[in-house]
Amino acid sequence: MSDQAIAQLLQIEQQVRQCETKTELAYVMVNLTRSLVAYEQAALLLGGELDTLKVFALSDVALVDRTTPFCAWLETVAQHESSTDTESASAVRTLDPHGWPEALQTDQAEFSAPHILWLPIGIPAKVNQRLGVMCLAKATPWTEREIGLLKHLAATYGHALQLFSQPSPWHNTWDKLRTRKVATAILVSVVILGFVPVNLTVLAPGSIIAKDAVSVTAPLQGAVQKVMVKPGDAIAQGDLLVQMDATEFQGQFDVAQRELERAQAALRTTEQAGYVDRRKKSDLLELESQVALNTIERDFYQKRLVQTQLLASTSGIAVFDGPDQWQGRPVVVGERVLSIADPKRIQLEVRVPAKDAISLNRGDEVTFYMDTDPLNPIEFKVLYSSFEPNQTPEQIIAYRVVADPADDSETFSAPRIGLRGTAKLYGEEVSLAYYLLRRPITFLRQRLGF
């Protein structure tokens, strides 16, 4: 072996030791080997003795496409050579195309140089344990010197390739679990666990709402002039909550008051004139009726004027979105402006999507995880559920479920009204197998009808 060949061999081995991935190693194997032994084509096929050899790297090609005709032909040749003789498949030799099928011989002239060297890559410490094969092709026959150099280099490649081909600990564990006894035990355990009873559960968005809140509604049609409170403000009975625009009602009251005063003045004049002219007394009954009618009309507009001020009928806190949304907004009779709630009396409102709905009964458990404090869930009990689903503001068809706190003692610290989170509802008891397969079963029944 010449000094130049030894230097080149050492340089390739140094490049091999610097490789960090299998891809980098494959690039060195199919490309840098040419600096030691001249050839036209080189291919690296990976696979053990019992595996099918597959093209992993090609010389002068950055990315390998195994769907190309060349790769398909090369893998067919490798499969033919591996299946003919196991001992010869693990030995370094030149391939003899005359033993190939006619189709492979015909394609060789198009895809490869005539002289192909079969160079198995194995583990040096384990004889005949193959990791892959290098196929090198050139126009001139292979010499003993070239084959000797490539044999030495193949041992280096095999040692490096072994490091990247070692199975992970998870792979070894899986191999142990693939034994028949372990697989049978796992299968039996899965079947038994499938009959374990569990509660059917569903997760849905929920929020804290007030229980038995008193609605403050508009008693007449008009516009809101100003909301006197803010959300969460403490309210005492009799406090002014909402001031509606009273301009129209004030004008109607003033007109009715003037009409009443005019009718009363006319009645007094007629009464005084009746003492002189008895014919005037015949007009008294009509004027008295007119005064009574004007009084009723004045009292009606006075009541409407009083109704423009919405007062609190009970004490509590104000529950609504905000005063700015109501200022100047027209309302109709009976439209709710805000609610008065007791902060200690709360309920949980859950919107369960129709596709996730489960059967719920009164008293079923509900666990509420607030977004502000998910580590301290609150227990509730189902009070009732709506019969039909409705569309939510998020454009989702959902059932409305209302639940009361499970802790009804005086020491219960009620969360703030309006807090949102996720509720976990517990339904009827079912098997674990049904619990896990409920959605696939529902999907199949909806799509296939059985």
Side-chain angles (χ1 to χ4, degrees):
M1 185 182 298
S2 63
D3 295 340
Q4 184 179 0
I6 295 175
Q8 197 63 43
L9 188 63
L10 293 175
Q11 185 176 359
I12 294 175
E13 291 179 345
Q14 183 179 5
Q15 291 288 337
V16 169
R17 286 191 292 269
Q18 293 177 355
C19 294
E20 297 181 355
T21 63
K22 185 188 293 187
T23 304
E24 294 180 5
L25 176 61
Y27 177 83
V28 172
M29 294 171 66
V30 297
N31 290 287
L32 298 189
T33 306
R34 186 182 282 123
S35 62
L36 181 65
V37 176
Y39 54 81
E40 297 177 7
Q41 293 174 303
L44 174 63
L45 297 91
L46 298 181
E49 295 86 350
L50 303 178
D51 301 327
T52 302
L53 291 170
K54 297 180 180 180
V55 177
F56 186 78
L58 296 172
S59 58
D60 305 321
V61 176
L63 298 175
V64 175
D65 184 4
R66 294 184 55 244
T67 62
T68 59
F70 172 72
C71 289
W73 173 82
L74 188 58
E75 289 182 355
T76 305
V77 171
Q79 183 178 1
H80 176 77
E81 292 294 331
S82 298
S83 60
T84 53
D85 187 358
T86 306
E87 294 184 0
S88 61
S90 60
V92 180
R93 57 192 174 86
T94 55
L95 301 183
D96 184 11
H98 296 90
W100 295 352
E102 184 177 353
L104 295 180
Q105 296 183 34
T106 304
D107 293 337
Q108 182 191 6
E110 179 182 356
F111 293 135
S112 174
H115 300 280
I116 303 174
L117 181 67
W118 180 270
L119 183 65
I121 307 297
I123 301 175
K126 298 180 181 180
V127 182
N128 297 330
Q129 185 170 346
R130 189 184 68 187
L131 298 175
V133 172
M134 285 188 67
C135 291
L136 301 97
K138 66 175 184 174
T140 59
W142 294 92
T143 63
E144 293 295 332
R145 175 180 175 278
E146 293 173 335
I147 295 176
L149 291 173
L150 291 175
K151 282 184 178 181
H152 178 84
L153 199 55
T156 302
Y157 289 156
H159 185 271
L161 191 60
Q162 177 190 5
L163 298 178
F164 296 112
S165 302
Q166 288 181 351
S168 63
W170 288 106
H171 187 273
N172 294 332
T173 304
W174 173 248
D175 289 340
K176 295 178 182 178
L177 293 177
R178 289 172 64 183
T179 61
R180 179 170 297 181
K181 291 183 179 181
V182 175
T184 303
I186 293 176
L187 179 61
V188 172
S189 301
V190 170
V191 173
I192 293 175
L193 288 175
F195 292 95
V196 173
V198 295
N199 284 100
L200 197 61
T201 61
V202 64
L203 296 176
S207 60
I208 300 297
I209 61 174
K211 183 177 182 179
D212 299 332
V214 178
S215 297
V216 178
T217 60
L220 43 83
Q221 185 172 352
V224 176
Q225 181 178 355
K226 186 177 182 181
V227 178
M228 313 304 293
V229 295
K230 295 180 176 58
D233 284 354
I235 297 173
Q237 186 175 2
D239 287 352
L240 177 61
L241 303 179
V242 180
Q243 175 64 59
M244 299 186 64
D245 187 5
T247 304
E248 179 182 356
F249 304 110
Q250 184 66 51
Q252 292 173 342
F253 173 76
D254 293 339
V255 172
Q257 181 66 31
R258 286 194 296 271
E259 289 293 330
L260 176 60
E261 293 173 354
R262 185 187 63 79
Q264 289 175 342
L267 177 61
R268 287 193 299 269
T269 302
T270 303
E271 287 177 344
Q272 293 172 1
Y275 292 107
V276 179
D277 187 358
R278 292 184 175 273
R279 292 176 297 178
K280 295 291 185 178
K281 291 185 178 182
S282 60
D283 297 331
L284 289 177
L285 184 60
E286 180 181 356
L287 291 174
E288 288 175 353
S289 299
Q290 184 65 38
V291 169
L293 180 63
N294 290 341
T295 302
I296 293 174
E297 186 176 1
R298 189 276 313 269
D299 292 343
F300 172 75
Y301 287 119
Q302 185 178 20
K303 183 178 180 182
R304 298 291 294 269
L305 187 61
V306 172
Q307 287 178 332
T308 59
Q309 293 184 339
L310 279 63
L311 306 179
S313 60
T314 184
S315 59
I317 62 171
V319 180
F320 66 112
D321 293 335
D324 295 339
Q325 296 183 358
W326 289 100
Q327 189 168 352
R329 176 176 168 179
V331 293
V332 297
V333 178
E335 184 174 357
R336 185 176 64 181
V337 180
L338 55 87
S339 299
I340 304 174
D342 185 349
K344 296 182 180 180
R345 303 189 65 196
I346 56 98
Q347 287 180 322
L348 175 65
E349 182 186 51
V350 185
R351 296 288 183 173
V352 182
K355 64 178 182 178
D356 299 329
I358 60 176
S359 179
L360 294 171
N361 298 315
R362 185 169 184 175
D364 286 345
E365 296 181 9
V366 180
T367 304
F368 182 57
Y369 301 89
M370 292 186 296
D371 292 339
T372 56
D373 190 11
L375 299 181
N376 295 304
I378 304 175
E379 299 297 330
F380 287 83
K381 297 288 186 180
V382 173
L383 181 62
Y384 66 86
S385 175
S386 61
F387 283 99
E388 295 182 357
N390 295 309
Q391 192 172 23
T392 66
E394 294 79 15
Q395 307 300 317
I396 298 175
I397 303 299
Y399 291 92
R400 181 174 182 263
V401 179
V402 177
D404 285 331
D407 186 2
D408 55 357
S409 63
E410 295 293 336
T411 59
F412 173 67
S413 179
R416 183 178 64 83
I417 297 173
L419 290 179
R420 302 183 64 85
T422 301
K424 185 176 184 180
L425 298 94
Y426 296 84
E428 59 186 357
E429 196 174 79
V430 296
S431 64
L432 180 60
Y434 178 79
Y435 180 87
L436 298 175
L437 300 177
R438 183 173 68 95
R439 284 182 177 275
I441 292 173
T442 303
F443 175 82
L444 290 176
R445 294 201 63 179
Q446 290 176 347
R447 296 300 186 274
L448 303 180
F450 66 85

